Amino acid sequence: MSKGSGSAPLPSTPGSRKLVPRSLSCLSDMDRRPCRPPGCDPRLRPIIQRRSRSLPTSPERRAKAAGAPGAACGAGCNRQVRVRFADALGLELAQVKVFNAGDDPSVPLHVLSRLAINSDLCCSSQDLEFTLQCLVPDFSPPIETPGFGERLARQLVCLERVTCSDLGISGTVRVRNVAFEKQVTVRYTFSGWRSAHEAVARWRGPAGAEGTEDIFTFGFPVPPFLLELGSQVHFALRYGVAGAEYWDNNDGRDYSLTCRSHALHMPRGECEESWIHFI
């Protein structure tokens, strides 16, 4: 027998298996299972990235909704409509709420007054008459009085008409178009000129096609205490143009409005239907 560094091969006998040693490098580190040939590297898998998808546009959503199961049925469609009641979902068919005497709703006074009016009209065939307190002008509309044009030519500014409402007092003023730059101011008082306030009027437009006259509009609020009977409001108009001032104070008497009782007649049919709009 010769000496050598390697060991001699084992003799093989018929019917016996040949043992072949395997390298430890061919075993995986985790489970020591043999790797798949070729080589000992693990099989690489491709990385699949899903592309982001934007939301569908409005036409696409409408198209999907048209083909959805709950979409509206078109011509020739035999789709059946299903109806489910609340008790099928475990809910109550009715809800009962008990009110105590102290839980009565607070009805506004204007609603109660309308209901009272309606009950009165049910038993009466006559029209209803109301008495309201409001500011009433102590003068006729100047534009409807004779000599309005002569008066305007003399003082260059003149009140046309005035109206009163819940928002206050408003009116229109006519002036002579002396120059382009002009200003109309309303000076008014609630205390008999012991104190005064001013409001600047706004230009509305020319009075005619000639362009010789302009129209201004004005307005100022009215405090609530002036709705008492006998209360008065006084005002006058000032027109500043070309470095000069011109006044319209109703020929020295001032324009005044007095709070008076005003009778209002309401037809029976109109009053019966009007109260429902206040609820």
Side-chain angles (χ1 to χ4, degrees):
M1 178 180 296
S2 64
K3 297 181 180 180
S5 60
S7 59
L10 297 177
S12 59
T13 58
S16 63
R17 297 181 180 179
K18 184 178 182 181
L19 299 178
V20 180
R22 292 179 297 180
S23 175
L24 294 178
S25 63
C26 294
L27 298 178
S28 61
D29 297 335
M30 299 298 297
D31 53 1
R32 296 294 179 179
R33 290 179 298 179
C35 299
R36 297 179 181 180
C40 297
D41 296 333
R43 178 176 297 179
L44 299 178
R45 296 181 180 180
I47 300 176
I48 302 176
Q49 295 182 355
R50 182 173 297 177
R51 182 182 178 184
S52 61
R53 189 175 183 182
S54 58
L55 294 176
T57 59
S58 297
E60 294 178 357
R61 288 198 295 268
R62 286 195 295 266
K64 287 185 177 180
C73 190
C77 180
N78 297 325
R79 184 180 302 156
Q80 296 180 356
V81 180
R82 296 182 180 180
V83 179
R84 291 190 300 177
F85 293 95
D87 57 348
L89 302 176
L91 304 176
E92 297 292 336
L93 289 176
Q95 185 178 6
V96 180
K97 183 175 178 58
V98 180
F99 291 92
N100 298 324
D103 297 338
D104 293 339
S106 178
V107 182
L109 293 178
H110 65 276
V111 177
L112 293 177
S113 62
R114 287 291 180 177
L115 293 175
I117 292 172
N118 185 57
S119 61
D120 294 339
L121 289 176
C122 292
C123 304
S124 176
S125 59
Q126 299 178 357
D127 295 344
L128 196 63
E129 181 178 348
F130 298 93
T131 301
L132 302 179
Q133 296 180 5
C134 58
L135 290 171
V136 180
D138 298 329
F139 53 91
S140 301
I143 196 172
E144 298 178 2
T145 59
F148 177 80
E150 298 176 358
R151 182 180 173 187
L152 178 62
R154 183 178 69 254
Q155 59 189 21
L156 302 185
V157 55
C158 189
L159 176 69
E160 285 190 342
R161 62 181 74 252
V162 66
T163 57
C164 304
S165 64
D166 296 338
L167 300 178
I169 298 174
S170 59
T172 55
V173 183
R174 183 175 297 197
V175 299
R176 297 284 296 179
N177 189 12
V178 178
F180 179 78
E181 295 291 339
K182 58 180 72 70
Q183 186 181 41
V184 178
T185 307
V186 183
R187 179 173 294 182
Y188 59 96
T189 179
F190 304 126
S191 59
W193 297 113
R194 290 190 297 271
S195 61
H197 311 273
E198 289 188 353
V200 179
R202 295 179 300 177
W203 181 79
R204 192 178 71 178
E210 297 82 4
T212 58
E213 299 174 357
D214 287 339
I215 299 211
F216 284 76
T217 61
F218 68 91
F220 55 88
V222 177
F225 65 82
L226 282 179
L227 297 180
E228 300 180 356
L229 291 177
S231 301
Q232 285 188 332
V233 180
H234 301 271
F235 70 91
L237 304 174
R238 184 182 67 213
Y239 177 37
V241 62
E245 288 187 354
Y246 304 91
W247 287 85
D248 178 21
N249 56 4
N250 196 16
D251 294 331
R253 299 186 299 270
D254 293 334
Y255 292 103
S256 62
L257 299 92
T258 306
C259 183
R260 295 188 177 93
S261 296
H262 181 69
L264 178 63
H265 297 273
M266 182 174 293
R268 180 174 183 273
E270 180 181 350
C271 189
E272 286 180 348
E273 299 176 359
S274 61
W275 68 269
I276 196 172
H277 300 288
F278 292 88
I279 297 180

